[in-house]
Structure formats: structure tokens, C-alpha cells
Amino acid sequence: TTTSSTTKCITTVVPTPTCEYGCGNWCSDPIPTFSDHPTCKIAVAECILQIADCFLSAGWPASLQCARYQSWCQSISTYCGNVCINGKCSKSDCISKNPPVGGQTTTSTTANVCPATSTSTRTTGSTAPVPTVSSICVLPNGSSGSGYDNGNCVGGIQPPALTCNNLAKDFAQYPLKLYTSKESSECSGYTHSTVPQACKDACGTQYNSCVGTYAAGCKGQTQRGDQDSYDSAKTKCANQYNDCLAANKNTSAVNRCTSFGAGWS
């Protein structure tokens, strides 16, 4: 059922965020608004899924700032757990406590007379919100001093998440997606039978970001104690990559993403 109406509007000037968090050449898409714990977790997932794109797109040396963006995503997750879990919460309150940096806004003005508007009961369901980021690929456990163990990664740079495809038009052919870009349509899709290849691609993306950001940040340093030189940092990135390949050689996605909008974890 569709109805139409015409209304009068008052001219207003509304700041619209086009870049909520900025790192060099890269800008994040704004996380969605939220009002409770479930919707807050969706905002966290939206934030986390953009981290890989930051490291890939910010450019050197700005990509070093992506670690701060990663921490900002974690601060939102902490807010979800500490505030939203107890009841009332909101994005505006969260942002006021944990303001993003490097963002930009544009100004838009509404017209005095609004055109006819339509209200429809039909929904397309073309995009599914990602409720949690639980990657199908596993992290390798390195030895002491390797720089990666117990869920930690070299330089703190995680591999991009392999999880369900959130676009309905692609799901039937590729139910899985490797989130390497903030634009979901630009990310590669995979079938359940190609999970090892998807994880190999995730390991490769992590390696490129590890060398391009962490190792690059060690140039000019001498290896001593916990401090890496460029060569020792690059070796850690390579060792992590090889162990990542081995750890995911037989990874599967049983009971994951078997229907659109479900099977996220």
C-alpha cells in the first residue's frame, strides 16, 4: 500500500558527515545510529569492517593512524558493553565520549516547499546489517617473540574478515565475502568450497598491510629488545603470512552463512 502527501518545510541547514574518521587519503563511512545493545553492536561491526580498507588506502605514513581508528572502533565496543548493556544509549552520547578525528562534514539545505512524499509498506531487503564480525579464517599462534600469538598480530594489524555476504543480489552465487573495502560491492565474494582460497587472500592482504605499515614504520631503526628494524619487522610479517596459510589450509565454513542474513557466527 502506498500513500502520497505534500507538506510545507522550513528551510534548515544540516551538517552531514561525509567522513566520520579520517586517516590520510582515507575516510570512514559514518557508523549507523543506535539506541540499544544489538544496534550498537551493528555499529561496531560496521566500524571494524572498514579497518582493512584504512590500512590499504590511507597511504604511507598516514596508514600508521589506522591503528588509532582501530582503537576508536574498540572504544565503541566498550561503550556497547558498559552503557548499552544497561539500557539507554545512543551514538551521539558515545561520540561525545569518544570523538573521531580527521572527519569532514558538508552542509545541506532543505527547500521551503517539500515535494510529494510516498510511504510504502514494501521493503527490498537488499542489504543485511552485519551484527557481529566473526571471521571464518583463524589466526596462527606464533612462538615467543614472533610478534603474533594469542590472537595478537604483528603490528596489531588484523587480516580482513571473511564472513557472510551482506548483499542480497550476490548472496546466491557468493554467500561469503572478504571485507577488504568499506564499499561492500567492491569486496571479493567466495563460495563455501573456496574458503581456503579466501583465507589465503586474507593472509595476503594482512601481509601487504604489515609490510606497508608496520615494517615501513621501522625503517631507520636498529633491532634491539622489542624494537624491530625494517628487516626484522618484514621477517615477522612473512613468518606470520606463512603460518596464516598453514593454519587455514583446511578451514571450512560449516553452518556459516547458509541463508541470507543469517549464520554470522
Side-chain angles (χ1 to χ4, degrees):
T1 303
T2 302
T3 59
S4 298
S5 63
T6 302
T7 59
K8 292 183 178 180
C9 297
I10 299 174
T11 301
T12 57
V13 179
V14 182
T16 304
T18 56
C19 170
E20 192 160 63
Y21 200 111
C23 299
N25 300 326
W26 180 83
C27 282
S28 73
D29 286 341
I31 60 172
T33 57
F34 56 86
S35 58
D36 53 27
H37 190 254
T39 53
C40 185
K41 296 301 290 183
I42 289 173
V44 172
E46 178 69 22
C47 192
I48 292 174
L49 288 178
Q50 298 184 70
I51 293 173
D53 190 37
C54 182
F55 281 108
L56 292 171
S57 305
W60 173 259
S63 58
L64 290 168
Q65 301 169 15
C66 295
R68 298 179 183 176
Y69 173 71
Q70 186 168 275
S71 296
W72 184 68
C73 294
Q74 182 56 50
S75 72
I76 300 171
S77 179
T78 300
Y79 178 88
C80 293
N82 292 343
V83 180
C84 294
I85 198 70
N86 295 317
K88 186 178 180 181
C89 63
S90 67
K91 176 182 175 179
S92 59
D93 180 58
C94 178
I95 294 301
S96 69
K97 293 178 170 64
N98 308 284
V101 298
Q104 302 170 2
T105 59
T106 58
T107 300
S108 60
T109 306
T110 62
N112 284 325
V113 178
C114 293
T117 59
S118 297
T119 303
S120 176
T121 58
R122 293 171 295 183
T123 58
T124 61
S126 59
T127 303
V130 181
T132 183
V133 180
S134 177
S135 185
I136 294 166
C137 305
V138 299
L139 297 176
N141 281 320
S143 59
S144 177
S146 65
Y148 55 99
D149 61 324
N150 299 321
N152 299 312
C153 298
V154 178
I157 301 173
Q158 299 273 338
L162 175 69
T163 186
C164 306
N165 196 328
N166 69 334
L167 298 182
K169 66 182 182 64
D170 300 331
F171 185 85
Q173 185 175 7
Y174 299 113
L176 309 177
K177 175 173 287 186
L178 185 63
Y179 288 84
T180 55
S181 171
K182 66 178 183 179
E183 301 297 335
S184 181
S185 61
E186 297 178 3
C187 299
S188 298
Y190 300 84
T191 63
H192 284 81
S193 63
T194 58
V195 166
Q197 179 61 51
C199 291
K200 180 179 180 180
D201 293 343
C203 298
T205 299
Q206 181 189 36
Y207 172 77
N208 291 336
S209 295
C210 186
V211 173
T213 296
Y214 177 66
C218 296
K219 287 182 177 179
Q221 295 182 172
T222 301
Q223 183 182 9
R224 67 165 76 89
D226 293 333
Q227 177 178 286
D228 279 315
S229 64
Y230 175 77
D231 288 339
S232 65
K234 191 173 181 181
T235 296
K236 286 183 177 180
C237 294
N239 290 341
Q240 177 179 248
Y241 171 70
N242 290 326
D243 284 350
C244 183
L245 294 182
N248 288 284
K249 185 177 181 180
N250 297 311
T251 298
S252 64
V254 178
N255 299 324
R256 292 287 299 271
C257 314
T258 54
S259 60
F260 181 65
W264 298 97
S265 60

